[in-house]
Amino acid sequence: MQNLLVHTRAMNLITHHFHNICGRVGFFGDHAFFNEVYEALDAAYDSVAERLIGLHDSTAVPLMQVLEASNMKLKQLPQDYKDNAQMFQVLLQLENEMKGIIEEYIKSGQYSQGTVNMLAQLADDSEMRIYKIKRRLVK
C-alpha cells in the first residue's frame, strides 16, 4: 500500500497548494472545496500509514522515500495554473488515479476484510470528490 501512501501525500500537498493559490471567479467556493479535500487527504494518508504500520511495522512507512516519491509525482504536474478550472482538471486526474490504485489493491485479494473496508471507504470518498469536481467543471 506504499503506492497509495505516496499518492495521498502528493494529492494532499498539491490540493493544499491549490487552496492557497486559487482565486478569481468562484474563489470562495473553490477555496473551501480545496480545504475540504486536503484535510480529507491528510486523514486518508494517516489511515493508510497507520494500516501499513499495523500490518508490518514502522519501517513500512519510510519518511524520506514517501517524500521523494511524492515529490517525483508532483514534478509531473503543471507548475503554473492559469485558472481554477485547470486546478480542478488536475485534481480530477489525481482522483481517478487514486481510485484505480485502490481498486487494484482490493482486487489483489491479499488484504484482510478490515483493510478492504478501509480501502473501500477511501474509494467511496474519492468517488464523491470526483462527482463534485465534475459538477464544478461544468460551471
Side-chain angles (χ1 to χ4, degrees), residues 64-130:
M64 291 311 293
Q65 285 180 333
V66 169
L67 293 176
E68 287 171 12
S70 296
N71 192 35
M72 292 294 292
K73 190 173 279 288
L74 293 172
K75 286 180 180 181
Q76 298 170 2
L77 299 174
Q79 298 302 304
D80 186 33
Y81 297 91
K82 295 176 179 52
D83 57 35
N84 294 358
Q86 187 182 13
M87 292 181 238
F88 278 91
Q89 287 287 354
V90 168
L91 185 55
L92 180 60
Q93 172 193 338
L94 292 170
E95 286 287 359
N96 282 318
E97 288 175 17
M98 183 166 120
K99 202 171 89 161
I101 292 167
I102 292 168
E103 288 171 357
E104 285 181 32
Y105 286 132
I106 291 172
K107 287 178 187 174
S108 76
Q110 66 183 23
Y111 296 104
S112 69
Q113 189 61 49
T115 299
V116 168
N117 291 344
M118 183 222 29
L119 291 167
Q121 183 60 58
L122 294 177
D124 185 53
D125 294 344
S126 180
E127 286 180 8
M128 290 301 297
R129 289 190 299 268
I130 287 170

